[in-house]
Amino acid sequence: MSSYKAPVSDLRFALHDVLKVESLFASLGFADATADVVDAVLEEAARFSGTVLSPLNSVGDEVGCVLDKATNEVTTAPGFRQAYEQFVEGGWTGLTSAPEFGGQGMPETLGMAVSEMLSGGNLAWSLFPLLSHGAVEALKHYGQDWQKEVFLKPLVEGRWTGTMCLTEPHAGTDLGLIKTRAEANDDGSYSITGTKIFITAGEHDLAENIVHLVLAKLPDAPPGPKGISLFVTPKFKVGQDGTMGERNALACGALEHKMGIHGSSTCVMNFDGAQGYLVGQPHKGLQAMFVMMNSARLGVGIQGLSQSERAYQGALAYARERLQSRSPKGAALPDKPADPIIMQPDVRRMLLTIKSLTEGARLLAAHAYTQLDAAQHAADAEARAKAETLVSFLTPITKACLTEWSIEATYNGMQCFGGHGYIREHGMEQLARDARILTLYEGTTGIQALDLIGRKTAMSQGAGLKLFLAEIEQFIGENTSNPAVAEFLPVLGAKAKEWGKLTMDVLQRAAANPEELGAASHDYLFYSGYVVLAYWWARSAAAAAASSQAESFKQAKLETARFYYARILPRTLAHAAGIAAGAESLMAMDNTRFGE
């Protein structure tokens, strides 16, 4: 069974040394988010994830959730409910929520660090509170005053949890095809009827009530996505005065049989005239739902980061203790029958690949969350708009790249174990199975790629990219005489320039052929992700050199940055070639020639 130790030292380095969050938080009005408070939260979250959640990780995988078909109730794995009770008692559910709803009002950036540790300790368990945060954000922005009063406080307190009900058997990404209907009632509520699938935490025994945010169509809805409305539809009916009533006309019809995350209840939810309330304006439900989706997409990126970290920890420990063969330069441990496999170049390649992608990804994600905080709390409207543009641009990169890199990390982690990685007792195969879903839910990698090159680049005329390139240019300008990063700046500058040129080339081709965007999207996404990490590794090298960290820590950062630039960043060459290849080779083959 694999174990997990939260990467507190690297989180502190990312937050304090690289991003300087204490001064950032102060400028955004987070007076209580001092360095001491941030460190105390990190330490306590590390303790909870390591001692409470991590021991339940294999339990959730082996036992999973159980649906009682007679009552439609779901029982979670042993220990999950007790862990959730401790989570609520510790006040974690309201860490970043607004004080007026019972929250602690801490920055989302700090919440991101806590989320990584929770997911690292137990990915399946962490899914239960994940979507509650998105539900809170959607209701906070679009709910009526009484809905905020009635639903937000118990959600923030953790007595209730939330879900996001979008997908239907015939309608995944194309939500305009949904068939779930909403009929108006005389009392101002609506009757919701339809079936939703893949609903995370749709039914469970952790909370008193479950608040479903459901997409449905009114009778007068126009066709397509412009006809979608959003309804808050609780498991137990809730009056406008907050009183809970009888069981609503909705139930879990089945639990999905999944490859991984067995400890999370992924439900088929049937709504049979369930009482719900309209959130926001009729036919404007996607606006509110996108608040949840964007929150969840960043959150899933953090889940990918957490699984990469856990894979690295397991592989590193094994590589240090497993004795096989001798070092290529001769016996490193002459008194032993063999040397540890960490002496082998290819094992080091796998470990450094995980390490460089994981630590770089942590900074990418943390930066995205600082922009999320700035978008909500910056002092002036221009600064808020700029931050919103940047976090919008970084969201598909964060979600897609961090989850895809988690697949690579868990693969390499298993490879370090050899045949033992395929055996359940070591826990590595569970990481590989659990991580696989991350590239699929909350929008597949392909959807993120289209979002980045389409909505976030073409439609915005590259607004987010321009901001990020300006940040790179500013960093290079400020460090031209800094010996700590002298070796990285020419390469970083060249890649940033090429990024801008590739973008212009694709957009020009797309003006004549709309298939060009989709043809370039996958390579464009990963080209972008690798260049973003090149920036953060240069920033890491500069921050490490100026920090008070131990010399071994500083040297490790520098050496990992060099590995990234030498071994990982060249992947952009293949992606640039893919972008330049255009749509012709993809679209030339007739559908009939793909095979029988």
Side-chain angles (χ1 to χ4, degrees), residues 4 18-19 30 86 95 162 197 200 292 320 394 409 411 425 467 469 471 496 523 538 562:
Y4 174 75
V18 183
L19 292 171
F30 294 107
Q86 291 185 51
L95 180 68
I197 62 171
T200 299
M292 284 194 77
R320 283 172 166 165
L394 292 174
Y411 169 87
E425 66 188 81
L467 289 174
L469 290 177
E471 191 166 329
D523 287 300
R562 286 172 173 161

PDB file of all heavy atoms in Angstrom, residues 4 18-19 30 86 95 162 197 200 292 320 394 409 411 425 467 469 471 496 523 538 562:
ATOM      1  N   TYR A   4       1.436   8.558   1.740  1.00  0.00           N
ATOM      2  CA  TYR A   4       1.459   9.913   1.222  1.00  0.00           C
ATOM      3  C   TYR A   4       1.894  10.874   2.312  1.00  0.00           C
ATOM      4  O   TYR A   4       1.393  10.835   3.431  1.00  0.00           O
ATOM      5  CB  TYR A   4       0.071  10.312   0.708  1.00  0.00           C
ATOM      6  CG  TYR A   4      -0.039  11.760   0.289  1.00  0.00           C
ATOM      7  CD1 TYR A   4       0.517  12.199  -0.914  1.00  0.00           C
ATOM      8  CD2 TYR A   4      -0.700  12.693   1.083  1.00  0.00           C
ATOM      9  CE1 TYR A   4       0.414  13.525  -1.304  1.00  0.00           C
ATOM     10  CE2 TYR A   4      -0.813  14.018   0.690  1.00  0.00           C
ATOM     11  CZ  TYR A   4      -0.259  14.429  -0.505  1.00  0.00           C
ATOM     12  OH  TYR A   4      -0.360  15.743  -0.896  1.00  0.00           O
ATOM     13  N   VAL A  18       8.344  31.988  -4.471  1.00  0.00           N
ATOM     14  CA  VAL A  18       8.137  32.309  -5.887  1.00  0.00           C
ATOM     15  C   VAL A  18       7.022  33.337  -6.066  1.00  0.00           C
ATOM     16  O   VAL A  18       7.210  34.363  -6.717  1.00  0.00           O
ATOM     17  CB  VAL A  18       7.828  31.035  -6.704  1.00  0.00           C
ATOM     18  CG1 VAL A  18       7.694  31.390  -8.184  1.00  0.00           C
ATOM     19  CG2 VAL A  18       8.923  29.990  -6.516  1.00  0.00           C
ATOM     20  N   LEU A  19       5.868  33.075  -5.496  1.00  0.00           N
ATOM     21  CA  LEU A  19       4.697  33.920  -5.751  1.00  0.00           C
ATOM     22  C   LEU A  19       4.524  35.070  -4.754  1.00  0.00           C
ATOM     23  O   LEU A  19       3.697  35.958  -4.993  1.00  0.00           O
ATOM     24  CB  LEU A  19       3.433  33.060  -5.763  1.00  0.00           C
ATOM     25  CG  LEU A  19       3.341  32.082  -6.934  1.00  0.00           C
ATOM     26  CD1 LEU A  19       2.182  31.118  -6.745  1.00  0.00           C
ATOM     27  CD2 LEU A  19       3.201  32.818  -8.250  1.00  0.00           C
ATOM     28  N   PHE A  30      -6.963  40.419   2.073  1.00  0.00           N
ATOM     29  CA  PHE A  30      -6.982  39.236   2.943  1.00  0.00           C
ATOM     30  C   PHE A  30      -6.071  39.491   4.149  1.00  0.00           C
ATOM     31  O   PHE A  30      -4.966  38.935   4.247  1.00  0.00           O
ATOM     32  CB  PHE A  30      -6.527  37.986   2.187  1.00  0.00           C
ATOM     33  CG  PHE A  30      -7.447  37.566   1.083  1.00  0.00           C
ATOM     34  CD1 PHE A  30      -7.086  37.759  -0.256  1.00  0.00           C
ATOM     35  CD2 PHE A  30      -8.667  36.965   1.354  1.00  0.00           C
ATOM     36  CE1 PHE A  30      -7.915  37.356  -1.285  1.00  0.00           C
ATOM     37  CE2 PHE A  30      -9.518  36.569   0.327  1.00  0.00           C
ATOM     38  CZ  PHE A  30      -9.136  36.771  -0.990  1.00  0.00           C
ATOM     39  N   GLN A  86     -14.866  14.700  10.657  1.00  0.00           N
ATOM     40  CA  GLN A  86     -13.693  15.422  11.155  1.00  0.00           C
ATOM     41  C   GLN A  86     -13.388  16.637  10.276  1.00  0.00           C
ATOM     42  O   GLN A  86     -12.989  17.702  10.779  1.00  0.00           O
ATOM     43  CB  GLN A  86     -12.475  14.499  11.169  1.00  0.00           C
ATOM     44  CG  GLN A  86     -12.541  13.389  12.209  1.00  0.00           C
ATOM     45  CD  GLN A  86     -11.253  12.593  12.244  1.00  0.00           C
ATOM     46  OE1 GLN A  86     -10.158  13.153  12.343  1.00  0.00           O
ATOM     47  NE2 GLN A  86     -11.368  11.270  12.159  1.00  0.00           N
ATOM     48  N   LEU A  95     -13.346  27.119   4.294  1.00  0.00           N
ATOM     49  CA  LEU A  95     -12.055  27.808   4.316  1.00  0.00           C
ATOM     50  C   LEU A  95     -12.025  29.042   3.426  1.00  0.00           C
ATOM     51  O   LEU A  95     -11.588  30.118   3.845  1.00  0.00           O
ATOM     52  CB  LEU A  95     -10.943  26.838   3.897  1.00  0.00           C
ATOM     53  CG  LEU A  95      -9.527  27.417   3.874  1.00  0.00           C
ATOM     54  CD1 LEU A  95      -9.062  27.746   5.287  1.00  0.00           C
ATOM     55  CD2 LEU A  95      -8.560  26.442   3.204  1.00  0.00           C
ATOM     56  N   GLY A 162     -23.017  19.533  -2.463  1.00  0.00           N
ATOM     57  CA  GLY A 162     -23.594  19.932  -3.739  1.00  0.00           C
ATOM     58  C   GLY A 162     -23.160  19.035  -4.882  1.00  0.00           C
ATOM     59  O   GLY A 162     -22.162  18.318  -4.784  1.00  0.00           O
ATOM     60  N   ILE A 197     -26.539  11.406 -15.864  1.00  0.00           N
ATOM     61  CA  ILE A 197     -25.561  10.347 -15.608  1.00  0.00           C
ATOM     62  C   ILE A 197     -24.209  10.957 -15.223  1.00  0.00           C
ATOM     63  O   ILE A 197     -23.972  12.144 -15.410  1.00  0.00           O
ATOM     64  CB  ILE A 197     -25.382   9.431 -16.835  1.00  0.00           C
ATOM     65  CG1 ILE A 197     -24.843  10.214 -18.033  1.00  0.00           C
ATOM     66  CG2 ILE A 197     -26.687   8.749 -17.195  1.00  0.00           C
ATOM     67  CD1 ILE A 197     -24.430   9.333 -19.217  1.00  0.00           C
ATOM     68  N   THR A 200     -21.175  12.940  -9.874  1.00  0.00           N
ATOM     69  CA  THR A 200     -20.260  12.718  -8.765  1.00  0.00           C
ATOM     70  C   THR A 200     -20.927  13.105  -7.449  1.00  0.00           C
ATOM     71  O   THR A 200     -21.497  14.191  -7.323  1.00  0.00           O
ATOM     72  CB  THR A 200     -18.982  13.560  -8.952  1.00  0.00           C
ATOM     73  OG1 THR A 200     -18.336  13.158 -10.158  1.00  0.00           O
ATOM     74  CG2 THR A 200     -18.040  13.382  -7.782  1.00  0.00           C
ATOM     75  N   MET A 292     -19.616  27.014 -11.971  1.00  0.00           N
ATOM     76  CA  MET A 292     -19.277  25.729 -11.362  1.00  0.00           C
ATOM     77  C   MET A 292     -18.240  24.984 -12.187  1.00  0.00           C
ATOM     78  O   MET A 292     -17.288  24.409 -11.649  1.00  0.00           O
ATOM     79  CB  MET A 292     -20.520  24.845 -11.227  1.00  0.00           C
ATOM     80  CG  MET A 292     -21.462  25.215 -10.118  1.00  0.00           C
ATOM     81  SD  MET A 292     -22.656  23.895  -9.799  1.00  0.00           S
ATOM     82  CE  MET A 292     -21.667  22.729  -8.875  1.00  0.00           C
ATOM     83  N   ARG A 320      15.013   4.074  -4.210  1.00  0.00           N
ATOM     84  CA  ARG A 320      16.105   4.197  -3.245  1.00  0.00           C
ATOM     85  C   ARG A 320      16.389   2.902  -2.494  1.00  0.00           C
ATOM     86  O   ARG A 320      17.516   2.672  -2.044  1.00  0.00           O
ATOM     87  CB  ARG A 320      15.782   5.311  -2.248  1.00  0.00           C
ATOM     88  CG  ARG A 320      15.999   6.713  -2.792  1.00  0.00           C
ATOM     89  CD  ARG A 320      15.491   7.760  -1.831  1.00  0.00           C
ATOM     90  NE  ARG A 320      15.985   9.101  -2.201  1.00  0.00           N
ATOM     91  CZ  ARG A 320      15.489  10.228  -1.718  1.00  0.00           C
ATOM     92  NH1 ARG A 320      14.470  10.182  -0.854  1.00  0.00           N
ATOM     93  NH2 ARG A 320      15.988  11.387  -2.093  1.00  0.00           N
ATOM     94  N   LEU A 394      -5.666  30.479 -18.548  1.00  0.00           N
ATOM     95  CA  LEU A 394      -4.882  29.426 -17.898  1.00  0.00           C
ATOM     96  C   LEU A 394      -5.714  28.223 -17.489  1.00  0.00           C
ATOM     97  O   LEU A 394      -5.157  27.144 -17.275  1.00  0.00           O
ATOM     98  CB  LEU A 394      -4.179  29.998 -16.663  1.00  0.00           C
ATOM     99  CG  LEU A 394      -3.070  31.010 -16.920  1.00  0.00           C
ATOM    100  CD1 LEU A 394      -2.576  31.605 -15.611  1.00  0.00           C
ATOM    101  CD2 LEU A 394      -1.921  30.383 -17.692  1.00  0.00           C
ATOM    102  N   ALA A 409       2.869  10.553 -15.149  1.00  0.00           N
ATOM    103  CA  ALA A 409       3.536  10.353 -13.860  1.00  0.00           C
ATOM    104  C   ALA A 409       3.219   8.990 -13.271  1.00  0.00           C
ATOM    105  O   ALA A 409       4.120   8.282 -12.784  1.00  0.00           O
ATOM    106  CB  ALA A 409       3.121  11.463 -12.885  1.00  0.00           C
ATOM    107  N   TYR A 411       2.214   6.368 -14.877  1.00  0.00           N
ATOM    108  CA  TYR A 411       2.829   5.371 -15.762  1.00  0.00           C
ATOM    109  C   TYR A 411       4.304   5.200 -15.398  1.00  0.00           C
ATOM    110  O   TYR A 411       4.793   4.075 -15.207  1.00  0.00           O
ATOM    111  CB  TYR A 411       2.681   5.802 -17.213  1.00  0.00           C
ATOM    112  CG  TYR A 411       3.497   4.982 -18.190  1.00  0.00           C
ATOM    113  CD1 TYR A 411       2.995   3.808 -18.739  1.00  0.00           C
ATOM    114  CD2 TYR A 411       4.784   5.386 -18.567  1.00  0.00           C
ATOM    115  CE1 TYR A 411       3.745   3.049 -19.629  1.00  0.00           C
ATOM    116  CE2 TYR A 411       5.540   4.632 -19.448  1.00  0.00           C
ATOM    117  CZ  TYR A 411       5.021   3.469 -19.978  1.00  0.00           C
ATOM    118  OH  TYR A 411       5.771   2.718 -20.854  1.00  0.00           O
ATOM    119  N   GLU A 425      -0.672  -4.595  -3.930  1.00  0.00           N
ATOM    120  CA  GLU A 425      -0.201  -4.276  -2.576  1.00  0.00           C
ATOM    121  C   GLU A 425       0.685  -3.037  -2.533  1.00  0.00           C
ATOM    122  O   GLU A 425       0.813  -2.396  -1.494  1.00  0.00           O
ATOM    123  CB  GLU A 425       0.555  -5.462  -1.984  1.00  0.00           C
ATOM    124  CG  GLU A 425       1.852  -5.795  -2.699  1.00  0.00           C
ATOM    125  CD  GLU A 425       2.464  -7.092  -2.202  1.00  0.00           C
ATOM    126  OE1 GLU A 425       2.030  -8.163  -2.642  1.00  0.00           O
ATOM    127  OE2 GLU A 425       3.381  -7.007  -1.367  1.00  0.00           O
ATOM    128  N   LEU A 467      -1.239  38.745 -22.344  1.00  0.00           N
ATOM    129  CA  LEU A 467      -0.909  39.045 -20.947  1.00  0.00           C
ATOM    130  C   LEU A 467       0.191  38.137 -20.437  1.00  0.00           C
ATOM    131  O   LEU A 467       1.110  38.584 -19.741  1.00  0.00           O
ATOM    132  CB  LEU A 467      -2.164  38.905 -20.080  1.00  0.00           C
ATOM    133  CG  LEU A 467      -3.247  39.967 -20.252  1.00  0.00           C
ATOM    134  CD1 LEU A 467      -4.482  39.604 -19.428  1.00  0.00           C
ATOM    135  CD2 LEU A 467      -2.723  41.338 -19.832  1.00  0.00           C
ATOM    136  N   LEU A 469       2.467  36.453 -22.243  1.00  0.00           N
ATOM    137  CA  LEU A 469       3.728  36.770 -22.925  1.00  0.00           C
ATOM    138  C   LEU A 469       4.352  38.038 -22.363  1.00  0.00           C
ATOM    139  O   LEU A 469       5.582  38.142 -22.255  1.00  0.00           O
ATOM    140  CB  LEU A 469       3.491  36.906 -24.428  1.00  0.00           C
ATOM    141  CG  LEU A 469       3.160  35.616 -25.181  1.00  0.00           C
ATOM    142  CD1 LEU A 469       2.869  35.911 -26.652  1.00  0.00           C
ATOM    143  CD2 LEU A 469       4.275  34.597 -25.055  1.00  0.00           C
ATOM    144  N   GLU A 471       4.115  38.975 -19.295  1.00  0.00           N
ATOM    145  CA  GLU A 471       4.694  38.591 -18.016  1.00  0.00           C
ATOM    146  C   GLU A 471       6.065  37.934 -18.226  1.00  0.00           C
ATOM    147  O   GLU A 471       7.016  38.203 -17.471  1.00  0.00           O
ATOM    148  CB  GLU A 471       3.742  37.636 -17.281  1.00  0.00           C
ATOM    149  CG  GLU A 471       4.111  37.382 -15.839  1.00  0.00           C
ATOM    150  CD  GLU A 471       3.002  36.716 -15.044  1.00  0.00           C
ATOM    151  OE1 GLU A 471       1.815  36.959 -15.359  1.00  0.00           O
ATOM    152  OE2 GLU A 471       3.323  35.960 -14.115  1.00  0.00           O
ATOM    153  N   ALA A 496       8.844  31.887 -26.237  1.00  0.00           N
ATOM    154  CA  ALA A 496       7.734  32.836 -26.119  1.00  0.00           C
ATOM    155  C   ALA A 496       7.449  33.496 -27.465  1.00  0.00           C
ATOM    156  O   ALA A 496       6.286  33.662 -27.868  1.00  0.00           O
ATOM    157  CB  ALA A 496       8.062  33.887 -25.060  1.00  0.00           C
ATOM    158  N   ASP A 523      -2.002  19.928 -30.250  1.00  0.00           N
ATOM    159  CA  ASP A 523      -0.594  20.329 -30.203  1.00  0.00           C
ATOM    160  C   ASP A 523      -0.439  21.735 -29.621  1.00  0.00           C
ATOM    161  O   ASP A 523       0.524  22.017 -28.897  1.00  0.00           O
ATOM    162  CB  ASP A 523       0.012  20.272 -31.608  1.00  0.00           C
ATOM    163  CG  ASP A 523       0.233  18.841 -32.064  1.00  0.00           C
ATOM    164  OD1 ASP A 523       0.990  18.113 -31.404  1.00  0.00           O
ATOM    165  OD2 ASP A 523      -0.364  18.435 -33.082  1.00  0.00           O
ATOM    166  N   ALA A 538      12.169  28.759 -14.828  1.00  0.00           N
ATOM    167  CA  ALA A 538      13.098  29.882 -14.744  1.00  0.00           C
ATOM    168  C   ALA A 538      12.816  30.708 -13.493  1.00  0.00           C
ATOM    169  O   ALA A 538      13.750  31.106 -12.763  1.00  0.00           O
ATOM    170  CB  ALA A 538      12.999  30.741 -16.002  1.00  0.00           C
ATOM    171  N   ARG A 562      17.284  22.550 -15.052  1.00  0.00           N
ATOM    172  CA  ARG A 562      18.147  22.183 -16.182  1.00  0.00           C
ATOM    173  C   ARG A 562      17.639  20.926 -16.890  1.00  0.00           C
ATOM    174  O   ARG A 562      17.661  20.846 -18.121  1.00  0.00           O
ATOM    175  CB  ARG A 562      19.574  21.968 -15.679  1.00  0.00           C
ATOM    176  CG  ARG A 562      20.298  23.262 -15.336  1.00  0.00           C
ATOM    177  CD  ARG A 562      21.624  23.002 -14.671  1.00  0.00           C
ATOM    178  NE  ARG A 562      22.374  24.250 -14.488  1.00  0.00           N
ATOM    179  CZ  ARG A 562      23.395  24.393 -13.629  1.00  0.00           C
ATOM    180  NH1 ARG A 562      23.783  23.352 -12.894  1.00  0.00           N
ATOM    181  NH2 ARG A 562      24.012  25.541 -13.525  1.00  0.00           N
TER     182      ARG A 562
END
